[in-house]
Amino acid sequence: MSNQMRRIAIIGGSRIPFSRSNSVYSEKTNLDMLSATLQGVIDRFDLDDKQMDEVVAGAVTSHSKDWNLAREALLSTSLSPLTPGITLQQACGTSLQAALMIGAKIATGQIECGIAAGTDTTSDPPISFGRKFSQRLVKMGAARSARQRLAAFKGFGFSELKPVLPANGEPKTGLSMGQHCERMAREWRIPREEQDRLAMESHQKAARAYDEGVFDDLVTPWGGLSRDNNIRADSTMEKLGNLRTVFSRSPDATLTAGNSTPLTDGAASVLLASEEWAKAHSLPVQAYITAGRTSAVDFVHDEGLLMAPTVAVSEMLKKTGLSLQDFDYYEIHEAFAAQVLCTLAAWESEDYCKQRLGLDAALGSIDQDKMNIHGSSLAVGHPFAATGARIVSNLAQILEKAGSGRGLISICTAGGMGVAAILERD
């Protein structure tokens, strides 16, 4: 290993178009999509038959048969089969965390290159039986005689055959992410109109980015799509305002299908390397990962489930000596419009920053014209584990086209965690 920390170069990324669940990709699997996005990176950067040091990837909604999804996916591509595959899962922060893990190994000289990726589909959810019936099947499989097989079903009732679907909720609270976010919106007094406006602008910016060719290098047509099918270029405040709330019928509820991300299928990946490896392969560097941080909140005891990015960003800024205003671009994952607005409000709150973040003053406000300039998850969609790689690739390209600058990434996740990173270009 190197005695001196090396820079973590982002070469670039590729993703497949994102699709609303149970639509165009309804017959596709996580393996299909992850293989496709990895192949996109391979094709873009001429990596056919090349041995990479690592592929780190994962999915949030996965089947038990996908026991090492990253390895199986890379074996379905034209990468060298000598490339190791590591499967990781950290909810919506999965592929950003994968990038940070690969980056740490590059920085310390353990490896030279790697691909971070994520995929998710809720069109192909793992459906299982309850524990009682599952145990019967295990006993039947271990039986050595017909009598033992019959004994495994003693007392069987047809109610045991009721399938168990994946729960869209926090195991510790029983509440969905949307219900938790409704609580946050009430606590921070985030108006419905502000949420709808942020959602509308996200759709408009994403549609404009496609029309201007911004995503031509980042999005590889696949599976019948050439662009994300959730984007609504004609989104208006009136249309969004007519939608009913979906997570609560309370008079003060504000979250709708329009200002919340839809369930989405898709995959994204990004290539990282040392500067030496990039130069040896004649690949220009788009940007560098210069910092990262993962934090958590105690949402079980009433902290906001999706407020952990406020902590992660604060702790990362403290370590780097930067202020919240020292950035040219901000990529804040739009799990819900309310989540983004709660995060911004918290950073502006002197009480919150002093009492929760342990600071001497508020972090302050940001220039929202620099935030999610090509739209984000509300518009393009949010295949849970894929979002981090999408954002890293998007921000790296923005910095490359700008010629220089610094960008902040903030991603909230299920389980009350937040993952943050800083990207820079000289």
Side-chain angles (χ1 to χ4, degrees):
M1 292 190 296
S2 172
N3 292 324
Q4 185 174 0
M5 297 291 278
R6 304 187 300 174
R7 296 215 288 179
I8 306 160
I10 302 170
I11 308 304
S14 177
R15 69 176 176 92
I16 61 174
F18 291 172
S19 170
R20 290 180 73 95
S21 289
N22 299 310
S23 64
V24 180
Y25 296 163
S26 61
E27 301 299 319
K28 305 298 185 182
T29 66
N30 276 326
L31 181 59
D32 295 332
M33 295 189 297
L34 183 55
S35 301
T37 190
L38 291 175
Q39 191 63 52
V41 165
I42 294 164
D43 294 342
R44 182 179 178 187
F45 299 108
D46 193 23
L47 302 177
D48 282 325
D49 299 320
K50 285 192 169 59
Q51 179 180 344
M52 306 297 292
D53 287 331
E54 286 183 358
V55 170
V56 182
V60 176
T61 306
S62 60
H63 292 262
S64 58
K65 62 182 174 61
D66 295 329
W67 63 278
N68 189 349
L69 184 62
R71 174 64 174 164
E72 293 304 308
L74 75 87
L75 289 174
S76 300
T77 71
S78 59
L79 271 183
S80 165
L82 302 182
T83 301
I86 301 167
T87 298
L88 171 74
Q89 204 266 69
Q90 194 192 1
C92 311
T94 296
S95 51
L96 177 55
Q97 189 64 253
L100 294 177
M101 290 172 63
I102 290 172
K105 290 184 178 181
I106 291 171
T108 55
Q110 297 179 63
I111 64 174
E112 297 296 322
C113 60
I115 300 174
T119 182
D120 255 299
T121 172
T122 48
S123 298
D124 179 36
I127 299 174
S128 61
F129 295 105
R131 179 171 175 78
K132 190 172 183 180
F133 187 70
S134 297
Q135 288 178 318
R136 291 187 189 278
L137 295 178
V138 171
K139 289 178 181 178
M140 186 180 72
R144 296 179 177 273
S145 66
R147 176 176 292 181
Q148 288 177 333
R149 285 192 288 272
L150 287 172
F153 283 86
K154 183 178 180 180
F156 167 77
F158 284 103
S159 62
E160 296 177 27
L161 295 176
K162 183 179 180 181
V164 179
L165 298 172
N168 181 23
E170 291 291 333
K172 294 296 184 183
T173 65
L175 299 177
S176 70
M177 190 175 286
Q179 290 171 314
H180 274 285
C181 198
E182 276 283 12
R183 287 182 167 188
M184 289 165 47
R186 284 196 295 272
E187 178 184 354
W188 288 98
R189 300 178 182 176
I190 306 298
R192 162 79 179 269
E193 183 179 5
E194 288 186 21
Q195 297 175 47
D196 288 348
R197 187 172 303 282
L198 191 151
M200 178 188 70
E201 292 174 352
S202 185
H203 282 276
Q204 292 174 346
K205 287 187 285 189
R208 184 167 58 249
Y210 265 109
D211 293 342
E212 294 175 353
V214 170
F215 295 140
D216 288 355
D217 292 333
L218 291 175
V219 180
T220 302
W222 182 79
L225 286 179
S226 58
R227 63 166 62 187
D228 314 303
N229 70 0
N230 183 65
I231 297 174
R232 302 290 182 263
D234 61 350
S235 183
T236 66
M237 291 294 288
E238 182 180 5
K239 290 179 179 178
L240 290 166
N242 288 331
L243 297 175
R244 66 179 185 176
T245 57
V246 291
F247 300 107
S248 171
R249 293 291 182 261
S250 170
D252 60 352
T254 56
L255 273 67
T256 70
N259 57 39
S260 309
T261 50
L263 293 174
T264 314
D265 305 334
S269 54
V270 59
L271 174 62
L272 309 170
S274 66
E275 290 180 292
E276 294 82 1
W277 189 91
K279 184 177 181 180
H281 291 80
S282 302
L283 293 171
V285 175
Q286 289 190 326
Y288 298 90
I289 297 176
T290 58
R293 184 72 178 179
T294 303
S295 301
V297 294
D298 186 4
F299 73 96
V300 179
H301 296 99
D302 290 335
E303 279 201 271
L305 175 73
L306 305 179
M307 296 300 289
T310 65
V311 183
V313 168
S314 174
E315 293 174 344
M316 184 171 65
L317 293 177
K318 184 177 181 179
K319 285 184 174 292
T320 58
L322 295 169
S323 75
L324 186 59
Q325 291 71 40
D326 288 336
F327 295 88
D328 303 288
Y329 306 97
Y330 301 84
E331 286 287 330
I332 301 179
H333 162 48
E334 299 169 343
F336 303 89
Q339 188 279 330
V340 176
L341 296 169
C342 286
T343 294
L344 298 180
W347 286 335
E348 294 172 1
S349 168
E350 185 171 353
D351 286 344
Y352 182 83
C353 289
K354 285 184 174 181
Q355 296 172 16
R356 178 59 182 87
L357 303 182
L359 303 175
D360 294 329
L363 286 170
S365 61
I366 68 169
D367 181 350
Q368 293 190 37
D369 288 338
K370 299 177 180 179
M371 183 180 78
N372 299 344
I373 65 171
H374 297 321
S376 192
S377 307
L378 286 168
V380 303
H382 173 39
F384 310 124
T387 288
R390 174 190 70 79
I391 290 177
V392 170
S393 301
N394 186 55
L395 181 54
Q397 178 178 271
I398 289 171
L399 291 169
E400 179 189 35
K401 291 186 175 181
S404 64
R406 180 185 292 125
L408 174 70
I409 296 174
S410 169
I411 296 179
C412 61
T413 89
M417 295 177 290
V419 188
I422 296 173
L423 270 56
E424 297 186 60
R425 181 180 173 90
D426 302 330

